[in-house]
Amino acid sequence: VGLVVLEVLTAALVVMPLALRQELVAGTFERSLVSAFGPIQCLLAMSVFPFLSALVGAMITIAVAAVVFGMPVDWSTAPLALPAAALGFVAFLPFAVLITAAVFVVKQVGAGAGLLITCLSLVAGVLFPVFLLPDWIESIKKVGGNEVIADLNAGPASYLQTWGATTSFKPGENIALKR
């Protein structure tokens, strides 16, 4: 289920800014600006196919998990996942518009979208009900203690510290030019 949510989240947050970046690189963005449909509507329309593709991929993922791995699925309520996924997609579109605006400023998109997804995942991890986790995670905590859990949590913290350090990096003096 987490993979399904990540697939829809990625379709919402990453695809539209990447499409704009490709339009800028190809030199075809001007056609969106002068379109009678409007520039914002053109950008939003670019996200329709990725959403539908993510939705189909999500349905296939859940079906394979149910058939091959025996994941329990309540098929009577499973169709309700479609409007929930659409609602989640629409809820994250404003973030995608902000990231798309950042493409105009910094001409890059991958790091910003990845950082946003990481931060959202960390917040979701704090708010996630622990009793829904698999039993083997609780067993790891019992056997390894809090040190193991601290080590597992150190990975995302290290990533954020490294990213923070890169934002304040100033290049040093070029000693090759002193000759």
Side-chain angles (χ1 to χ4, degrees), residues 59-136:
M59 290 188 297
I60 291 171
T61 301
I62 289 177
V64 168
V67 172
V68 176
F69 300 108
M71 182 181 88
V73 176
D74 184 5
W75 293 108
S76 65
T77 59
L80 295 175
L82 298 176
L87 183 62
F89 183 81
V90 169
F92 284 103
L93 272 181
F95 293 114
V97 171
L98 288 174
I99 294 171
T100 304
V103 169
F104 286 111
V105 177
V106 295
K107 304 295 186 244
Q108 293 294 326
V109 69
L115 181 66
L116 183 61
I117 290 174
T118 301
C119 291
L120 289 172
S121 299
L122 288 173
V123 169
V126 170
L127 300 176
F128 188 79
V130 177
F131 65 87
L132 292 177
L133 293 174
D135 293 337
W136 62 268

Side-chain angles (χ1 to χ4, degrees), residues 119-167:
C119 291
L120 289 172
S121 299
L122 288 173
V123 169
V126 170
L127 300 176
F128 188 79
V130 177
F131 65 87
L132 292 177
L133 293 174
D135 293 337
W136 62 268
I137 293 179
E138 182 66 26
S139 299
I140 288 175
K141 183 179 178 192
K142 287 178 182 175
V143 172
N146 288 333
E147 296 84 24
V148 174
I149 302 302
D151 285 344
L152 289 173
N153 289 333
S158 172
Y159 172 78
L160 291 174
Q161 289 170 352
T162 303
W163 176 81
T166 61
T167 59

